[in-house]
């Protein structure tokens, strides 16, 4: 299996194949297929035009998985709507440009138990020298939230996004071990520091 980096133009060329795999990986309700595919393609197009967009695909030799995302802006606007106070460490790392948002991870169902999602997220984050991965997941998508948690992500709270009652779970993935010399002045292993929101 090979991993390949794609830029926005290459991702756009593969958009229909990416959508096919996305739909294959989703458990969809009857009649939802068309809307789900359309929503995915709209989200993909939006993200490909974000500064720093990157995608990583896994091929064996056909497409079996991919992950994509972009650097979180230093102004913290990506966290807009966060309920309560954003954890200080997250704010500091955002301001220093060390947070990379993973907008999507898609893996063919037959490959889900082989660690491919872990490989994709780790490679995408390390390629961008991120100290913290971040993602927002619809609160109602319990399976997706559980999948991120099973790969080491930490739930830090809720984000409210208009229009409508959209409520998202904010999850972060600390990378490596930070010391007092690094942003945030952390002296403990980052994975043990994050508050945990009730998963309900």
């Amino acid at each position: 299996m090979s991993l390949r980096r794609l830029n926005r133009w290459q991702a756009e060329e593969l958009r229909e194949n990416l959508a096919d795999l996305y739909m294959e990986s989703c458990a969809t309700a009857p009649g939802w297929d068309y809307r789900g595919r359309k929503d995915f393609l709209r989200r993909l197009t939006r993200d490909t035009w974000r500064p720093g967009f990157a995608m990583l695909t896994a091929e064996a030799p056909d497409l079996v998985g991919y992950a994509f995302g972009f650097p979180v802006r230093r102004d913290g606007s990506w966290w807009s709507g966060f309920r309560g106070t954003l954890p200080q460490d997250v704010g500091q790392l955002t301001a220093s440009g060390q947070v990379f948002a993973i907008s999507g991870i898609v893996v063919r169902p037959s490959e889900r138990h082989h660690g491919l999602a872990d490989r994709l997220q780790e490679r995408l984050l390390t390629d961008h020298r991120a100290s913290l991965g971040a993602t927002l997941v619809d609160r109602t998508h319990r399976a997706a939230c559980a999948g991120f948690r099973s790969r080491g992500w930490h739930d830090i709270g809720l984000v409210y996004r208009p229009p409508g009652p959209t409520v998202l779970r904010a999850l972060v993935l600390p990378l490596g071990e930070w010391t007092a010399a690094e942003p945030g002045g952390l002296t403990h292993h980052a994975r043990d520091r994050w508050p945990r929101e009730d998963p309900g």
Side-chain angles (χ1 to χ4, degrees):
M1 184 179 298
S2 61
L3 301 184
R4 182 166 69 104
R5 297 187 191 94
L6 272 63
N7 58 32
R8 64 166 57 100
W9 311 111
Q10 293 167 320
E12 279 292 324
E13 290 175 359
L14 283 178
R15 56 186 274 116
E16 295 302 327
N17 290 342
L18 298 172
D20 287 345
L21 185 56
Y22 172 77
M23 296 307 299
E24 181 184 342
S25 73
C26 294
T28 60
W32 186 84
D33 287 11
Y34 174 76
R35 179 181 173 185
R37 185 185 186 92
K38 185 177 178 181
D39 288 348
F40 170 78
L41 288 171
R42 183 172 60 248
R43 188 169 70 250
L44 177 65
T45 298
R46 177 198 65 200
D47 286 348
T48 58
W49 287 100
R50 293 181 185 269
F53 170 84
M55 175 175 280
L56 193 65
T57 61
E59 301 167 0
D62 296 326
L63 183 69
V64 295
Y66 56 89
F68 60 98
F70 49 87
V72 171
R73 292 176 57 176
R74 292 172 183 254
D75 63 6
S77 58
W78 195 74
W79 300 106
S80 176
F82 187 87
R83 186 178 73 178
T85 303
L86 188 70
Q88 182 180 7
D89 300 332
V90 175
Q92 290 173 336
L93 288 168
T94 299
S96 63
Q98 297 184 63
V99 181
F100 189 88
I102 291 187
S103 188
I105 299 177
V106 176
V107 173
R108 179 170 290 165
S110 61
E111 297 293 332
R112 285 181 180 166
H113 302 295
H114 300 110
L116 180 55
D118 287 332
R119 288 180 60 194
L120 287 167
Q121 73 178 23
E122 180 179 356
R123 177 73 174 274
L124 192 58
L125 293 170
T126 55
D127 280 354
H128 289 82
R129 299 180 181 177
S131 293
L132 189 72
T135 194
L136 299 176
V137 180
D138 191 313
R139 188 183 189 184
T140 64
H141 293 174
R142 293 177 179 270
C145 292
F148 276 102
R149 289 193 191 99
S150 72
R151 296 195 299 276
W153 292 71
H154 297 260
D155 191 336
I156 62 169
L158 299 175
V159 172
Y160 290 79
R161 288 282 170 84
T166 303
V167 182
L168 306 169
R169 287 209 168 274
L171 299 111
V172 296
L173 180 69
L175 302 174
E177 188 168 346
W178 299 326
T179 67
E182 294 175 306
L186 302 179
T187 56
H188 300 287
H189 198 283
R191 294 182 187 274
D192 299 325
R193 292 183 53 84
W194 304 100
R196 295 177 183 270
E197 186 83 9
D198 180 357

